[in-house]
């Protein structure tokens, strides 16, 4: 059985999932709903030993107000950020619980930050050059970062 790493960037609608081989080669990138995650993992577990990593925002400090240039209302911006983070925290918690209930070992990873986060979220051209793969989604970019970090 070969070893593969699966990186998951959780979200309520569709989580980004990256399957990476032992030489950090990209095997597959996908978007999966919460109810598709377990069958998808079981499919990969038939022929591979899995390391599953999930970005878990529950491991970081709460979001605090920040200055955003051009924002009309700071309260509206902060409220939107809080809602988004809350949605992702709930999704990560559910995915972790469901996977662990089904016998998978899940490594919780702090959300990436700094230059790597910006690279993952903003620079798909860089990933195209480095990995020779087209990443058209923030979720897939972050999942790939999780899998190779």
């Amino acid at each position: 059985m070969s070893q593969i790493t699966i990186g998951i960037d959780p979200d309520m609608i569709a989580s980004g999932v990256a399957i990476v081989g032992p030489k950090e080669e990209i095997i597959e990138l996908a978007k999966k709903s919460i109810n598709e995650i377990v069958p998808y993992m079981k499919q990969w577990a038939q022929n591979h030993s899995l390391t599953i990593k999930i970005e878990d925002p529950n491991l970081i400090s709460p979001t605090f107000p920040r200055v955003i240039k051009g924002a009309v209302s700071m309260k509206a911006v902060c409220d939107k950020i809080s809602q988004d983070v809350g949605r992702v925290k709930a999704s990560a918690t559910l995915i972790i619980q469901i996977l662990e209930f089904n016998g998978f070992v899940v490594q919780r990873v702090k959300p990436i930050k700094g230059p790597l986060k910006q690279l993952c979220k903003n620079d798909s051209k860089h990933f195209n050059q480095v990995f020779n793969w087209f990443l058209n989604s923030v979720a897939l970019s972050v999942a790939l970062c999780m899998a190779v970090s």
Side-chain angles (χ1 to χ4, degrees), residues 20-131:
V20 177
K23 296 177 184 168
E24 294 192 354
E25 72 277 14
I26 299 170
I27 297 171
E28 183 171 302
L29 297 173
K31 289 183 179 179
K32 298 293 176 186
S33 65
I34 290 176
N35 64 333
E36 294 173 311
I37 296 274
V38 169
Y40 188 68
M41 297 300 156
K42 286 182 178 180
Q43 170 193 340
W44 283 100
Q46 289 176 358
N47 298 314
H48 300 88
S49 176
L50 307 183
T51 298
I52 302 172
K53 297 180 180 182
I54 187 167
E55 184 178 57
D56 187 358
N58 293 297
L59 299 177
I60 59 173
S61 302
T63 301
F64 294 100
R66 55 187 98 169
V67 176
I68 299 175
K69 291 182 181 179
V72 177
S73 167
M74 282 307 300
K75 182 176 180 342
V77 170
C78 289
D79 287 350
K80 174 72 169 113
I81 291 169
S82 295
Q83 289 172 348
D84 291 347
V85 170
R87 184 183 73 234
V88 173
K89 281 185 171 191
S91 299
T93 301
L94 287 171
I95 292 168
I96 291 165
Q97 287 178 352
I98 291 167
L99 285 171
E100 288 178 343
F101 179 81
N102 281 275
F104 293 101
V105 175
V106 181
Q107 293 179 20
R108 295 164 176 86
V109 180
K110 280 187 177 183
I112 55 175
K113 46 186 175 173
L116 182 58
K117 177 178 180 176
Q118 292 311 309
L119 181 65
C120 290
K121 291 188 176 274
N122 299 331
D123 194 355
S124 63
K125 288 181 183 177
H126 175 79
F127 278 99
N128 294 342
Q129 292 169 351
V130 172
F131 295 109

